[in-house]
Amino acid sequence: MSQMTDSRGFRTGAAISVLLLLIAALLQSNDAASPAAALLVASIGAAMLLSAATSLRISLLALPFRVLRERGLIGAPSPAQLQPVPALRLAQLLGGTMLLLGVVVHQRLGADLVAVALVAIVATLQTFLAVTGICVACKLYGIVVWFQHRNLPHDAVKIAPQKIRMTKGSSR
């Protein structure tokens, strides 16, 4: 069964992560605050990995959106605002892994250029998601799924019944 979730929460989480990564970049420019920058980047990566590991049930970066949604300040999503959970899990897994890898490469190997590149890639993709609503990893996931199902018989069911998360009164 394919599960769907409100992508607006992850757009919000992406915007929050970009702001936190900018703060980390500012902290990194101050040598005395450099350990705090690494801790902040690692925390964002861990939050993304937690989200992926819990099938998006726990998303610390999207928490503000979820709270506003539960209080009725944000309406129900339109069908266009729904994303497959597996696609967003992949995005969270890749982003979190790249951020943690960036911290490890910086702290242990001193490969600052590689570390900055990894964090910059995540920040760029998160910015793109926050601004446009387009999740690049989700699109890649869609291509892989399409590729796997391209030879299915035409009468085969290709889209499973869907569950919607992050909406008030969702059915299970």
Side-chain angles (χ1 to χ4, degrees), residues 13 37 69 126 145 153 162 165:
R69 178 74 185 97
Q126 290 285 69
V145 168
Q162 301 164 342
R165 284 205 205 134

Side-chain angles (χ1 to χ4, degrees), residues 55-111:
S55 294
L56 311 181
R57 285 182 183 88
I58 300 173
S59 179
L60 299 176
L61 294 168
L63 186 61
F65 175 84
R66 189 176 297 235
V67 168
L68 292 174
R69 178 74 185 97
E70 288 173 357
R71 291 190 177 161
L73 298 173
I74 297 174
S78 69
Q81 294 168 325
L82 297 175
Q83 279 281 27
V85 168
L88 284 168
R89 282 183 74 193
L90 174 65
Q92 296 286 296
L93 177 67
L94 293 174
T97 301
M98 288 176 70
L99 290 177
L100 289 179
L101 187 59
V103 170
V104 169
V105 164
H106 171 70
Q107 296 291 326
R108 300 287 181 214
L109 304 176

Side-chain angles (χ1 to χ4, degrees), residues 3-79:
Q3 296 176 333
M4 302 293 278
T5 190
D6 189 340
S7 64
R8 297 175 298 172
F10 290 91
R11 286 183 77 176
T12 303
I16 291 169
S17 71
V18 169
L19 289 174
L20 293 173
L21 289 171
L22 286 173
I23 291 169
L26 292 173
L27 290 172
Q28 184 65 29
S29 66
N30 179 355
D31 287 335
S34 184
L39 181 61
L40 184 54
V41 172
S43 297
I44 297 165
M48 292 174 82
L49 290 175
L50 176 65
S51 178
T54 61
S55 294
L56 311 181
R57 285 182 183 88
I58 300 173
S59 179
L60 299 176
L61 294 168
L63 186 61
F65 175 84
R66 189 176 297 235
V67 168
L68 292 174
R69 178 74 185 97
E70 288 173 357
R71 291 190 177 161
L73 298 173
I74 297 174
S78 69

